Amino acid sequence: VSKVASPYSDSMATAAIARIGRSLKTACFDPSNAAAREDMLLGSTLAGIAFSNASVALVHGMSRPMGAHFHIPHGLSNAMLLPSVTQYSLSAALERYADVGRMLELVEKGAPDQEAAEALLSWIEANNKELEVPTIREYGAEEAKWNSMMLRMAEECIASGSHANNPRVPETPEEITDLYRKMWI
């Protein structure tokens, strides 16, 4: 959903979504399934090509400081952030999020954009729960340190420039801080 996406990056992202969408849970729950692992390998490569050509956005911008200050692996922090950042961004790119919901066959092809986008958000939340993606608290971060670092992490996110590629661009560090605050569950 990057604001600098192109037909090329979208084609790579679409191919990645198809592979990852159908194989993520199988690869996690049945690591001996070679076909699912191949889909994840190729899907992650295609996703990398996509975001190398469209840049990353708010999820990645917020994720980097979490890794730096709380030693959370980048993929895990991305997964932790994805539901709240998707919710935050939904209205600014409803059609694009809806397209992903339709690609994943979460709704009928003719479903309204709002329904398809909300189905995607529900799917992300359900996957995080099923795959046991922890909250910040469950990961073991100290609440006092988390609260004291939120503004700094928001400023570091803005300094990275990634937030500016998001469909809904946070206007202030405080908007990003609010997203970090919502993660403490």
Side-chain angles (χ1 to χ4, degrees):
V1 294
S2 170
K3 289 186 350 183
V4 294
S6 68
Y8 177 71
S9 63
D10 282 353
S11 70
M12 297 294 110
T14 299
I17 290 165
R19 288 180 178 278
I20 293 169
R22 72 177 172 237
S23 296
L24 176 63
K25 287 192 267 188
T26 303
C28 289
F29 294 128
D30 181 10
S32 65
N33 186 314
R37 291 176 60 118
E38 180 179 321
D39 263 354
M40 294 303 296
L41 172 73
L42 294 173
S44 63
T45 300
L46 291 163
I49 294 169
F51 70 68
S52 291
N53 286 277
S55 197
V56 295
L58 186 57
V59 167
H60 285 268
M62 290 178 67
S63 181
R64 285 187 208 109
M66 290 170 62
H69 299 292
F70 293 91
H71 311 289
I72 302 171
H74 189 65
L76 180 58
S77 57
N78 286 336
M80 292 170 154
L81 285 158
L82 194 57
S84 58
V85 174
T86 300
Q87 176 67 53
Y88 172 82
S89 306
L90 217 55
S91 63
L94 191 64
E95 183 179 342
R96 290 184 55 82
Y97 285 111
D99 287 345
V100 175
R102 289 185 196 98
M103 272 186 260
L104 292 170
E105 299 178 350
L106 304 176
V107 294
E108 298 295 322
K109 288 196 189 290
D113 285 352
Q114 187 70 39
E115 180 184 336
E118 287 175 4
L120 173 64
L121 179 58
S122 294
W123 182 81
I124 292 167
E125 292 168 341
N127 275 335
N128 273 14
K129 185 174 183 171
E130 191 172 348
L131 296 172
E132 299 179 355
V133 174
T135 64
I136 299 300
R137 180 187 319 205
E138 291 167 345
Y139 185 77
E142 294 177 29
E143 187 171 10
K145 181 178 179 186
W146 180 257
N147 290 334
S148 72
M149 294 298 296
M150 288 188 303
L151 181 58
R152 179 174 175 183
M153 291 191 302
E155 290 167 344
E156 291 172 357
C157 171
I158 290 170
S160 78
S162 297
H163 75 297
N165 299 321
N166 206 60
R168 178 179 173 194
V169 179
E171 300 288 328
T172 65
E174 289 74 24
E175 278 187 80
I176 298 170
T177 300
D178 286 343
L179 289 168
Y180 280 132
R181 187 174 291 109
K182 289 176 185 172
M183 293 178 67
W184 188 269
I185 299 171

